[in-house]
Amino acid sequence: MVVLGATLTVGLAQDVEKQLRSHVEYLTSDALAGRKAGSEGAEAAAAYIEKHFDSTLHLPTRLQYFTVTLEESSFCNVIARIEGVQPNKYIIIGAHYDHLGTKRGKIYHGADDNASGTAALLEVARSFTRRNYKPQYTLLFVAFDAEELGLYGSKAYVEKYHLTADNVKAMINMDMVGWLKDGALNIEGTGTLNGSEEAINRLATKHSLVVETKNFETSCLTGTDTESFALQGIPTLSLNTGMESPYHKPEDTADKIDYEGLAKITNFVGDLVVEIDKTNSTVASSGKVARKHRANTLDIALAYGAGSTHQHIPNAAVDGRPDDCWHIGLTAQYALRHVGLRASVLYDKRKALAPADVNNIYGPAATLGLKSVTVPAELMLKTKGKSCLYIAGGGYYSWIFESRLDGEKIDMLSRGIDSTEYGLQWSLGGRLSSFYIELTRRYSLVPLSQGGMMPTVYNRSSLCSMGIFF
């Protein structure tokens, strides 16, 4: 009996490995041309996934079509369902199936990113039909589209079905899980689910997996389909095998995938879902989410901006000629659904070409350099979500602590230069995850100088700024 049991286990493992390889090879085939969202290749991939869920596994399956602003194509999430004792309470298992398509005549096959996760998703679903599992929670298997364009598939899914922490116990996402080799399976988000780390470690031992866990997703440089769920307070686990594969390159091909490792991960995820689903499960929401996933929070960013400054001369036919300016500092932002507040503390350095002679504004110019501490404050109007477009307006205050004329430090008082400046500013920008970029225009309301050895002038600045929230 022992030998028979071992033979069955080995046979099942080999079958899972064979199925995974078949899925990845099809999804990365030249015929699908890299599965760029909205392309015929992506449509073929969606049809393949739907056929597997519906015709092969006989699961209730639906397609969710959605559009994206500024994109001409329509996109499609593929969703399969195993009804639970609680039909309106869910555990969601997800992976995105789209990739980059073709560039400069080369196919970006996307084997690890993310044919590997899609293949695992299909086989996790098959494991539940094979064992005829009757879940407590309804299990939803979701293949997301348009992840590479900006996580749009998962966002559309969460919004359409009004998913919240009240009706979703957990969301497990697999993105780039095909490169286990001699490394570890990374699982981020155990801090969102109490008891999950103990269950993960126990199951990792069972499946001979090395796992590395993190309480929360912390990287500012990457994002995946957990984001829209986490922004609703839903506990999320993000699974990957690292970034060692040639992802986002044409070399990310099916022959490089570690199928034995992928099979281990697939079986591990199936057992993890069962562990979370158990009636007596000790795995439960902690009520915590990663800082990067807090929808309404105070965020602080390191900001840098550069642009040009010129000095407006009232009642003159010409303005001062522009020169460069830049700033660096910290920006704090508190954002709600469609409004927010922003304030910054910036070290500001500006230069402008001003008339050297107050009596001859058309004559030779001198370079006036100013160093100041500037504090802008603005009210934002924004699109919904942490990643958003926004327009902002408000005012700023500057304390000018140093002035130089043609590189020589000057006494501001004797030159009639005021150390205090305030004015209005507006900004137009966008944020993607932890990054933002914006255009800002400032108009001083008080003159930099009033008579003396300088003409009456008002500062005007235009800047392009960028920053990263931490």
Side-chain angles (χ1 to χ4, degrees):
M1 293 295 292
V2 174
V3 174
L4 178 59
T7 302
L8 285 172
T9 300
V10 171
L12 286 173
Q14 290 175 341
D15 181 52
V16 171
E17 204 173 314
K18 178 182 177 182
Q19 293 296 328
L20 290 166
R21 184 184 296 272
S22 177
H23 296 319
V24 173
E25 287 179 346
Y26 176 76
L27 293 169
T28 61
S29 63
D30 288 354
L32 269 62
R35 311 185 309 281
K36 182 177 175 64
S39 70
E40 292 182 1
E43 291 178 6
Y48 177 86
I49 296 164
E50 180 189 18
K51 181 179 179 182
H52 181 83
F53 282 150
D54 188 7
S55 302
T56 304
L57 302 183
H58 306 293
L59 295 177
T61 305
R62 65 180 179 271
L63 303 178
Q64 179 204 350
Y65 291 98
F66 62 95
T67 58
V68 175
T69 304
L70 302 181
E71 294 286 343
E72 296 180 359
S73 303
S74 176
F75 308 101
C76 178
N77 294 329
V78 187
I79 308 152
R81 178 187 187 102
I82 297 179
E83 195 80 5
V85 174
Q86 303 182 72
N88 298 317
K89 298 285 186 178
Y90 310 111
I91 295 172
I92 297 170
I93 307 94
H96 78 90
Y97 68 86
D98 65 303
H99 194 55
L100 302 180
T102 60
K103 297 181 180 181
R104 297 177 294 278
K106 294 184 178 180
I107 297 175
Y108 286 65
H109 299 88
D112 188 28
D113 185 15
N114 188 36
S116 64
T118 305
L121 176 72
L122 299 178
E123 289 308 297
V124 170
R126 190 160 76 103
S127 73
F128 284 101
T129 60
R130 172 184 279 158
R131 64 178 103 180
N132 199 27
Y133 182 76
K134 303 297 182 184
Q136 293 297 310
Y137 287 76
T138 294
L139 305 183
L140 297 172
F141 303 91
V142 189
F144 298 113
D145 197 1
E147 190 268 358
E148 298 288 359
L149 294 180
L151 312 180
Y152 291 117
S154 49
K155 181 180 179 182
Y157 180 69
V158 170
E159 290 179 352
K160 179 175 176 62
Y161 297 106
H162 308 292
L163 300 175
T164 68
D166 292 331
N167 56 18
V168 181
K169 186 174 184 182
M171 188 273 181
I172 300 172
N173 190 65
M174 297 175 286
D175 192 351
M176 295 175 56
V177 288
W179 209 260
L180 186 65
K181 301 184 183 290
D182 296 323
L185 174 64
N186 303 309
I187 304 178
E188 299 173 278
T190 55
T192 69
L193 273 171
N194 289 333
S196 62
E197 190 153 359
E198 179 183 345
I200 286 168
N201 289 331
R202 184 173 67 254
L203 293 173
T205 300
K206 172 184 174 181
H207 292 281
S208 302
L209 270 174
V210 176
V211 297
E212 293 183 359
T213 60
K214 289 176 67 174
N215 284 339
F216 303 104
E217 295 178 56
T218 57
S219 174
C220 296
L221 303 176
T222 59
T224 189
D225 285 312
T226 54
E227 182 173 295
S228 292
F229 295 88
L231 287 171
Q232 298 300 319
I234 296 169
T236 59
L237 295 175
S238 176
L239 279 61
N240 66 78
T241 51
M243 303 176 74
E244 299 301 317
S245 68
Y247 74 100
H248 285 197
K249 296 180 181 178
E251 294 77 23
D252 185 12
T253 51
D255 59 297
K256 297 183 179 70
I257 296 298
D258 175 9
Y259 292 102
E260 182 180 354
L262 185 56
K264 287 183 180 181
I265 292 169
T266 300
N267 293 329
F268 165 84
V269 170
D271 282 353
L272 180 59
V273 172
V274 171
E275 190 71 29
I276 296 171
D277 180 63
K278 286 179 180 176
T279 305
N280 61 347
S281 175
T282 58
V283 179
S285 173
S286 68
K288 300 176 182 178
V289 296
R291 181 176 179 81
K292 65 182 284 187
H293 291 150
R294 295 175 192 170
N296 304 324
T297 186
L298 178 66
D299 288 336
I300 298 176
L302 178 64
Y304 173 79
S308 66
T309 294
H310 78 272
Q311 293 176 345
H312 173 60
I313 307 170
N315 304 317
V318 296
D319 273 357
R321 284 166 283 175
D323 208 329
D324 61 276
C325 64
W326 60 270
H327 66 233
I328 190 168
L330 297 176
T331 293
Q333 174 177 302
Y334 184 83
L336 300 174
R337 188 180 180 90
H338 289 297
V339 297
L341 295 173
R342 306 175 76 230
S344 305
V345 178
L346 306 170
Y347 168 72
D348 225 333
K349 190 171 182 180
R350 292 172 281 174
K351 290 192 296 183
L353 294 173
D357 183 353
V358 66
N359 297 310
N360 182 14
I361 62 174
Y362 303 106
T367 301
L368 179 65
L370 303 174
K371 294 181 181 179
S372 62
V373 175
T374 301
V375 181
E378 296 177 294
L379 175 68
M380 298 172 59
L381 298 176
K382 58 185 284 291
T383 58
K384 185 172 58 176
K386 197 149 196 169
S387 296
C388 62
L389 299 175
Y390 61 84
I391 187 169
Y396 73 93
Y397 169 84
S398 286
W399 171 59
I400 302 170
F401 59 85
E402 183 181 300
S403 180
R404 292 178 180 268
L405 195 63
D406 283 339
E408 295 293 327
K409 190 173 180 180
I410 60 175
D411 180 71
M412 292 191 294
L413 184 61
S414 66
R415 295 274 179 161
I417 299 175
D418 199 336
S419 62
T420 298
E421 177 184 313
Y422 57 85
L424 300 176
Q425 76 171 48
W426 63 265
S427 303
L428 178 67
R431 176 174 177 177
L432 179 61
S433 187
S434 296
F435 296 91
Y436 78 86
I437 186 167
E438 67 183 24
L439 298 174
T440 300
R441 181 74 173 157
R442 289 183 190 156
Y443 303 85
S444 67
L445 295 178
V446 295
L448 174 65
S449 65
Q450 301 185 65
M453 299 186 71
M454 292 287 295
T456 299
V457 296
Y458 293 81
N459 277 322
R460 301 285 189 262
S461 298
S462 300
L463 300 110
C464 178
S465 303
M466 61 188 68
I468 181 170
F469 290 94
F470 54 88

